[in-house]
Amino acid sequence: MKIKVALGLMLSAATLAAFAGPVEEQIKARQSAYAFLGWNTHLIKSQVSDHPETYNKEKVIAAATVMAAIAKAPLLDLYGPGTDQGTGWKPSHLKADYFQKQDEIRQINDTFAQEAAALQAVATQGEIADIKTQFGKVGAACKSCHDQIRVRD
Amino acid sequence: MKIKVALGLMLSAATLAAFAGPVEEQIKARQSAYAFLGWNTHLIKSQVSDHPETYNKEKVIAAATVMAAIAKAPLLDLYGPGTDQGTGWKPSHLKADYFQKQDEIRQINDTFAQEAAALQAVATQGEIADIKTQFGKVGAACKSCHDQIRVRD
Protein backbone atom coordinates (compact mmCIF):
# COMPACT_ATOMS: atom_id res chain seq x y z
CA MET A 1 0.00 0.00 0.00
CA LYS A 2 2.74 2.38 1.02
CA ILE A 3 4.57 1.51 -2.18
CA LYS A 4 1.46 2.21 -4.23
CA VAL A 5 1.01 5.64 -2.64
CA ALA A 6 4.67 6.47 -3.08
CA LEU A 7 4.52 5.42 -6.71
CA GLY A 8 1.40 7.52 -7.19
CA LEU A 9 3.13 10.55 -5.71
CA MET A 10 6.19 9.97 -7.90
CA LEU A 11 4.02 9.78 -11.00
CA SER A 12 2.18 12.97 -10.06
CA ALA A 13 5.47 14.75 -9.54
CA ALA A 14 6.75 13.43 -12.87
CA THR A 15 3.60 14.56 -14.68
CA LEU A 16 3.82 17.99 -13.10
CA ALA A 17 7.50 18.27 -14.02
CA ALA A 18 6.72 17.24 -17.60
CA PHE A 19 4.02 19.91 -17.75
CA ALA A 20 5.96 22.82 -16.29
CA GLY A 21 9.28 21.62 -17.69
CA PRO A 22 12.69 21.27 -16.07
CA VAL A 23 13.74 23.75 -13.38
CA GLU A 24 15.78 25.87 -15.81
CA GLU A 25 12.85 26.11 -18.22
CA GLN A 26 10.46 27.16 -15.45
CA ILE A 27 12.85 29.89 -14.32
CA LYS A 28 13.42 31.04 -17.90
CA ALA A 29 9.68 31.17 -18.65
CA ARG A 30 8.85 33.21 -15.55
CA GLN A 31 11.80 35.56 -16.08
CA SER A 32 10.54 36.08 -19.63
CA ALA A 33 7.03 36.82 -18.38
CA TYR A 34 8.26 39.40 -15.87
CA ALA A 35 10.71 40.96 -18.33
CA PHE A 36 7.99 41.43 -20.93
CA LEU A 37 5.65 42.72 -18.21
CA GLY A 38 8.41 45.18 -17.39
CA TRP A 39 8.62 46.42 -20.96
CA ASN A 40 4.86 46.98 -21.07
CA THR A 41 4.97 48.68 -17.68
CA HIS A 42 7.63 50.99 -19.09
CA LEU A 43 5.46 51.76 -22.14
CA ILE A 44 2.51 52.76 -19.96
CA LYS A 45 4.58 54.75 -17.46
CA SER A 46 6.23 56.60 -20.31
CA GLN A 47 2.90 57.57 -21.89
CA VAL A 48 0.90 58.48 -18.79
CA SER A 49 3.61 59.89 -16.51
CA ASP A 50 6.98 60.73 -18.01
CA HIS A 51 5.96 61.86 -21.52
CA PRO A 52 2.17 62.39 -21.52
CA GLU A 53 2.50 64.20 -24.87
CA THR A 54 3.20 60.75 -26.39
CA TYR A 55 -0.01 59.19 -24.99
CA ASN A 56 -1.57 56.87 -27.53
CA LYS A 57 -4.76 55.24 -26.36
CA GLU A 58 -4.44 52.13 -28.53
CA LYS A 59 -0.83 51.52 -27.46
CA VAL A 60 -1.71 51.85 -23.78
CA ILE A 61 -4.64 49.45 -24.24
CA ALA A 62 -2.33 46.95 -25.98
CA ALA A 63 0.23 47.18 -23.17
CA ALA A 64 -2.39 46.88 -20.42
CA THR A 65 -3.93 43.91 -22.24
CA VAL A 66 -0.55 42.14 -22.21
CA MET A 67 -0.14 42.90 -18.51
CA ALA A 68 -3.62 41.61 -17.63
CA ALA A 69 -3.12 38.45 -19.71
CA ILE A 70 0.26 37.63 -18.18
CA ALA A 71 -1.03 38.40 -14.68
CA LYS A 72 -3.86 35.92 -15.21
CA ALA A 73 -1.56 33.19 -16.57
CA PRO A 74 -0.73 30.33 -14.19
CA LEU A 75 2.64 31.83 -13.31
CA LEU A 76 2.72 29.99 -9.98
CA ASP A 77 3.10 26.73 -11.94
CA LEU A 78 6.58 28.05 -12.76
CA TYR A 79 7.65 28.02 -9.11
CA GLY A 80 8.18 24.29 -8.76
CA PRO A 81 10.49 22.64 -6.23
CA GLY A 82 14.11 23.63 -6.74
CA THR A 83 13.39 26.83 -8.62
CA ASP A 84 14.89 28.94 -5.84
CA GLN A 85 18.15 27.48 -7.14
CA GLY A 86 19.28 27.24 -10.73
CA THR A 87 19.54 29.61 -13.65
CA GLY A 88 17.10 30.53 -16.40
CA TRP A 89 18.22 33.53 -18.46
CA LYS A 90 19.98 34.56 -15.24
CA PRO A 91 20.22 33.07 -11.74
CA SER A 92 16.92 32.68 -9.90
CA HIS A 93 16.18 35.46 -7.44
CA LEU A 94 13.57 33.44 -5.56
CA LYS A 95 13.93 33.38 -1.79
CA ALA A 96 14.21 29.88 -0.34
CA ASP A 97 11.31 30.50 2.06
CA TYR A 98 8.91 30.97 -0.87
CA PHE A 99 7.81 27.37 -0.37
CA GLN A 100 6.62 28.16 3.17
CA LYS A 101 4.44 31.06 2.00
CA GLN A 102 2.15 29.43 -0.54
CA ASP A 103 -1.18 30.79 0.72
CA GLU A 104 0.14 34.32 1.08
CA ILE A 105 1.69 34.29 -2.39
CA ARG A 106 -1.46 32.92 -3.97
CA GLN A 107 -3.38 35.81 -2.42
CA ILE A 108 -0.87 38.39 -3.69
CA ASN A 109 -0.96 36.78 -7.13
CA ASP A 110 -4.77 37.02 -7.22
CA THR A 111 -4.60 40.69 -6.22
CA PHE A 112 -2.06 41.33 -8.97
CA ALA A 113 -4.34 39.69 -11.55
CA GLN A 114 -7.33 41.74 -10.36
CA GLU A 115 -5.44 45.04 -10.39
CA ALA A 116 -4.03 44.32 -13.85
CA ALA A 117 -7.52 43.47 -15.16
CA ALA A 118 -8.75 46.78 -13.72
CA LEU A 119 -5.86 48.56 -15.47
CA GLN A 120 -6.93 47.03 -18.77
CA ALA A 121 -10.48 48.30 -18.12
CA VAL A 122 -9.44 51.90 -17.39
CA ALA A 123 -7.01 51.88 -20.32
CA THR A 124 -9.97 51.05 -22.55
CA GLN A 125 -11.90 54.00 -21.10
CA GLY A 126 -8.93 56.26 -21.83
CA GLU A 127 -8.90 58.70 -18.89
CA ILE A 128 -5.21 59.32 -18.17
CA ALA A 129 -5.79 60.25 -14.51
CA ASP A 130 -7.62 56.96 -13.89
CA ILE A 131 -4.93 54.99 -15.72
CA LYS A 132 -2.24 56.61 -13.55
CA THR A 133 -4.11 55.79 -10.33
CA GLN A 134 -4.73 52.18 -11.33
CA PHE A 135 -1.18 51.82 -12.63
CA GLY A 136 -0.02 52.74 -9.14
CA LYS A 137 -2.14 49.93 -7.68
CA VAL A 138 -0.62 47.40 -10.07
CA GLY A 139 2.83 48.63 -9.07
CA ALA A 140 1.95 48.21 -5.41
CA ALA A 141 0.90 44.59 -6.09
CA CYS A 142 4.20 43.96 -7.89
CA LYS A 143 6.13 45.42 -5.00
CA SER A 144 4.27 43.49 -2.31
CA CYS A 145 5.30 40.26 -4.03
CA HIS A 146 8.89 41.36 -4.63
CA ASP A 147 9.20 42.23 -0.94
CA GLN A 148 8.05 38.75 0.01
CA ILE A 149 9.82 36.45 -2.37
CA ARG A 150 12.53 38.16 -4.40
CA VAL A 151 16.14 38.39 -3.34
CA ARG A 152 17.29 41.95 -3.98
CA ASP A 153 19.91 42.57 -6.66
CA MET B 1 18.36 74.01 -43.75
CA LYS B 2 20.28 70.77 -44.16
CA ILE B 3 21.56 71.14 -40.61
CA LYS B 4 18.01 71.65 -39.33
CA VAL B 5 16.76 68.52 -41.07
CA ALA B 6 19.71 66.49 -39.83
CA LEU B 7 19.14 67.75 -36.30
CA GLY B 8 15.46 66.86 -36.59
CA LEU B 9 16.33 63.35 -37.71
CA MET B 10 18.81 62.97 -34.88
CA LEU B 11 16.23 64.07 -32.35
CA SER B 12 13.63 61.68 -33.77
CA ALA B 13 16.09 58.83 -33.62
CA ALA B 14 16.99 59.79 -30.06
CA THR B 15 13.32 59.93 -29.02
CA LEU B 16 12.66 56.58 -30.65
CA ALA B 17 15.68 55.04 -28.95
CA ALA B 18 14.55 56.43 -25.58
CA PHE B 19 11.13 54.89 -26.12
CA ALA B 20 12.18 51.43 -27.23
CA GLY B 21 15.34 51.45 -25.14
CA PRO B 22 18.91 50.57 -26.03
CA VAL B 23 19.57 47.80 -28.53
CA GLU B 24 20.25 45.19 -25.81
CA GLU B 25 16.97 46.05 -24.06
CA GLN B 26 14.99 45.78 -27.28
CA ILE B 27 16.49 42.36 -28.01
CA LYS B 28 15.90 41.20 -24.43
CA ALA B 29 12.26 42.37 -24.46
CA ARG B 30 11.45 40.63 -27.73
CA GLN B 31 13.26 37.43 -26.71
CA SER B 32 11.19 37.50 -23.50
CA ALA B 33 7.97 37.94 -25.45
CA TYR B 34 8.74 35.02 -27.75
CA ALA B 35 9.97 32.80 -24.91
CA PHE B 36 6.77 33.37 -22.93
CA LEU B 37 4.76 32.85 -26.11
CA GLY B 38 6.63 29.58 -26.45
CA TRP B 39 5.66 28.48 -22.96
CA ASN B 40 2.02 29.22 -23.63
CA THR B 41 2.22 27.46 -26.98
CA HIS B 42 3.60 24.43 -25.16
CA LEU B 43 0.73 24.54 -22.64
CA ILE B 44 -1.87 24.53 -25.40
CA LYS B 45 -0.15 21.86 -27.49
CA SER B 46 0.17 19.67 -24.44
CA GLN B 47 -3.53 19.95 -23.61
CA VAL B 48 -5.05 19.65 -27.07
CA SER B 49 -2.58 17.33 -28.81
CA ASP B 50 -0.09 15.45 -26.67
CA HIS B 51 -2.10 14.85 -23.50
CA PRO B 52 -5.76 15.63 -24.29
CA GLU B 53 -6.74 13.95 -21.00
CA THR B 54 -5.25 17.01 -19.25
CA TYR B 55 -7.38 19.51 -21.23
CA ASN B 56 -8.55 22.32 -18.97
CA LYS B 57 -10.70 24.89 -20.70
CA GLU B 58 -9.77 27.79 -18.39
CA LYS B 59 -6.03 27.11 -18.69
CA VAL B 60 -6.23 26.95 -22.49
CA ILE B 61 -8.19 30.22 -22.54
CA ALA B 62 -5.58 31.84 -20.28
CA ALA B 63 -2.74 30.67 -22.53
CA ALA B 64 -4.50 31.73 -25.73
CA THR B 65 -5.27 35.12 -24.16
CA VAL B 66 -1.56 35.64 -23.45
CA MET B 67 -0.69 34.65 -27.01
CA ALA B 68 -3.28 37.01 -28.52
CA ALA B 69 -2.17 39.89 -26.28
CA ILE B 70 1.52 39.46 -27.07
CA ALA B 71 0.79 39.04 -30.78
CA LYS B 72 -1.08 42.36 -30.74
CA ALA B 73 1.68 44.19 -28.84
CA PRO B 74 3.89 46.51 -30.92
CA LEU B 75 6.66 43.92 -31.14
CA LEU B 76 8.02 45.52 -34.31
CA ASP B 77 9.06 48.52 -32.19
CA LEU B 78 11.67 46.14 -30.74
CA TYR B 79 13.39 45.68 -34.09
CA GLY B 80 15.22 48.98 -34.19
CA PRO B 81 18.41 49.67 -36.14
CA GLY B 82 21.30 47.55 -34.94
CA THR B 83 19.16 44.83 -33.36
CA ASP B 84 20.40 42.26 -35.86
CA GLN B 85 23.63 42.56 -33.89
CA GLY B 86 24.02 42.54 -30.13
CA THR B 87 22.87 40.34 -27.30
CA GLY B 88 19.77 40.38 -25.12
CA TRP B 89 19.38 37.25 -23.00
CA LYS B 90 21.29 35.57 -25.83
CA PRO B 91 22.71 36.78 -29.14
CA SER B 92 20.19 38.20 -31.60
CA HIS B 93 19.06 35.75 -34.27
CA LEU B 94 17.73 38.45 -36.55
CA LYS B 95 18.85 38.24 -40.17
CA ALA B 96 20.56 41.39 -41.39
CA ASP B 97 18.19 41.69 -44.36
CA TYR B 98 15.23 42.17 -41.99
CA PHE B 99 15.53 45.90 -42.58
CA GLN B 100 14.90 45.44 -46.33
CA LYS B 101 11.67 43.48 -45.73
CA GLN B 102 9.60 45.88 -43.64
CA ASP B 103 6.33 45.67 -45.60
CA GLU B 104 6.44 41.90 -45.82
CA ILE B 105 7.17 41.54 -42.09
CA ARG B 106 4.40 43.96 -41.16
CA GLN B 107 1.98 41.82 -43.15
CA ILE B 108 3.17 38.60 -41.49
CA ASN B 109 2.92 40.26 -38.07
CA ASP B 110 -0.68 41.33 -38.78
CA THR B 111 -1.57 37.79 -39.86
CA PHE B 112 0.02 36.43 -36.68
CA ALA B 113 -2.06 38.83 -34.54
CA GLN B 114 -5.26 37.88 -36.39
CA GLU B 115 -4.64 34.13 -36.11
CA ALA B 116 -3.80 34.46 -32.40
CA ALA B 117 -6.99 36.48 -31.81
CA ALA B 118 -8.94 33.73 -33.57
CA LEU B 119 -7.24 31.14 -31.35
CA GLN B 120 -8.38 33.06 -28.27
CA ALA B 121 -11.94 33.05 -29.68
CA VAL B 122 -12.05 29.28 -30.31
CA ALA B 123 -10.40 28.58 -26.94
CA THR B 124 -13.29 30.44 -25.33
CA GLN B 125 -15.77 28.26 -27.25
CA GLY B 126 -13.95 25.17 -26.02
CA GLU B 127 -14.14 22.76 -28.97
CA ILE B 128 -10.84 20.89 -28.96
CA ALA B 129 -10.92 20.09 -32.68
CA ASP B 130 -11.38 23.77 -33.54
CA ILE B 131 -8.60 24.78 -31.14
CA LYS B 132 -6.24 22.28 -32.78
CA THR B 133 -7.03 23.57 -36.26
CA GLN B 134 -6.59 27.20 -35.29
CA PHE B 135 -3.46 26.40 -33.28
CA GLY B 136 -2.00 25.02 -36.50
CA LYS B 137 -2.71 28.32 -38.26
CA VAL B 138 -0.94 30.28 -35.53
CA GLY B 139 2.02 27.91 -35.84
CA ALA B 140 2.10 28.49 -39.59
CA ALA B 141 2.20 32.27 -39.00
CA CYS B 142 5.09 31.82 -36.55
CA LYS B 143 6.97 29.68 -39.05
CA SER B 144 6.44 32.04 -41.97
CA CYS B 145 8.13 34.79 -39.98
CA HIS B 146 10.95 32.54 -38.70
CA ASP B 147 11.69 31.50 -42.27
CA GLN B 148 11.98 35.13 -43.32
CA ILE B 149 13.92 36.78 -40.55
CA ARG B 150 15.42 34.32 -38.08
CA VAL B 151 18.89 32.85 -38.38
CA ARG B 152 18.61 29.13 -37.65
CA ASP B 153 20.24 27.75 -34.51
Side-chain angles (χ1 to χ4, degrees):
Chain A
M1 180 63 179
K2 263 189 189 163
I3 291 172
K4 234 178 172 179
V5 171
L7 191 64
L9 284 173
M10 277 170 64
L11 283 175
S12 306
T15 310
L16 187 69
F19 192 70
V23 163
E24 299 72 29
E25 293 303 312
Q26 291 180 51
I27 300 173
K28 196 178 276 189
R30 72 191 191 209
Q31 287 173 343
S32 298
Y34 298 126
F36 197 59
L37 264 178
W39 184 61
N40 285 279
T41 301
H42 166 75
L43 289 186
I44 294 179
K45 182 170 179 290
S46 175
Q47 291 176 69
V48 301
S49 289
D50 304 340
H51 306 286
E53 74 280 7
T54 66
Y55 172 71
N56 175 306
K57 186 178 174 183
E58 293 309 316
K59 286 214 170 191
V60 170
I61 292 174
T65 301
V66 169
M67 292 179 70
I70 294 179
K72 213 184 163 187
L75 295 175
L76 297 185
D77 289 355
L78 295 169
Y79 287 80
T83 60
D84 56 325
Q85 306 288 330
T87 295
W89 295 117
K90 58 183 179 180
S92 172
H93 279 198
L94 185 63
K95 288 183 185 168
D97 69 353
Y98 165 83
F99 302 100
Q100 278 80 55
K101 296 178 178 174
Q102 298 290 294
D103 292 344
E104 209 167 340
I105 301 305
R106 208 167 294 278
Q107 180 57 47
I108 293 176
N109 194 56
D110 287 351
T111 303
F112 171 48
Q114 286 159 16
E115 299 293 11
L119 180 63
Q120 185 183 7
V122 292
T124 305
Q125 286 158 9
E127 292 292 339
I128 293 194
D130 294 344
I131 299 172
K132 271 179 90 161
T133 302
Q134 187 56 36
F135 185 72
K137 292 185 186 174
V138 174
C142 294
K143 187 178 180 307
S144 69
C145 198
H146 294 171
D147 290 347
Q148 286 284 342
I149 71 168
R150 193 170 73 162
V151 177
R152 283 172 189 272
D153 279 316
Chain B
M1 179 61 179
K2 264 189 189 165
I3 291 174
K4 236 178 171 178
V5 172
L7 190 63
L9 284 174
M10 278 170 65
L11 284 175
S12 307
T15 310
L16 186 69
F19 192 70
V23 163
E24 299 72 29
E25 293 304 313
Q26 292 178 52
I27 300 173
K28 197 179 274 189
R30 72 190 190 209
Q31 287 173 342
S32 298
Y34 298 126
F36 197 59
L37 264 177
W39 185 62
N40 284 279
T41 301
H42 165 74
L43 289 186
I44 295 179
K45 182 170 177 291
S46 176
Q47 291 176 69
V48 302
S49 288
D50 304 339
H51 306 285
E53 73 281 6
T54 66
Y55 173 70
N56 175 305
K57 186 178 175 182
E58 293 310 315
K59 287 215 169 189
V60 171
I61 291 173
T65 301
V66 169
M67 292 178 70
I70 295 180
K72 212 184 164 187
L75 296 174
L76 297 185
D77 288 356
L78 296 169
Y79 288 79
T83 60
D84 56 325
Q85 305 288 330
T87 295
W89 296 117
K90 59 183 179 181
S92 172
H93 279 197
L94 185 63
K95 286 184 185 168
D97 68 355
Y98 165 83
F99 302 100
Q100 278 80 56
K101 295 179 179 174
Q102 298 289 295
D103 292 343
E104 208 168 341
I105 300 304
R106 207 166 295 277
Q107 180 57 47
I108 292 176
N109 194 56
D110 288 350
T111 302
F112 171 48
Q114 286 158 17
E115 299 293 12
L119 179 64
Q120 184 182 7
V122 293
T124 305
Q125 287 157 8
E127 293 292 339
I128 294 194
D130 294 344
I131 300 171
K132 272 179 89 162
T133 303
Q134 187 54 37
F135 185 73
K137 292 185 185 174
V138 174
C142 294
K143 187 178 181 304
S144 69
C145 198
H146 294 171
D147 289 346
Q148 287 284 342
I149 71 168
R150 194 169 73 162
V151 178
R152 282 170 190 272
D153 279 316

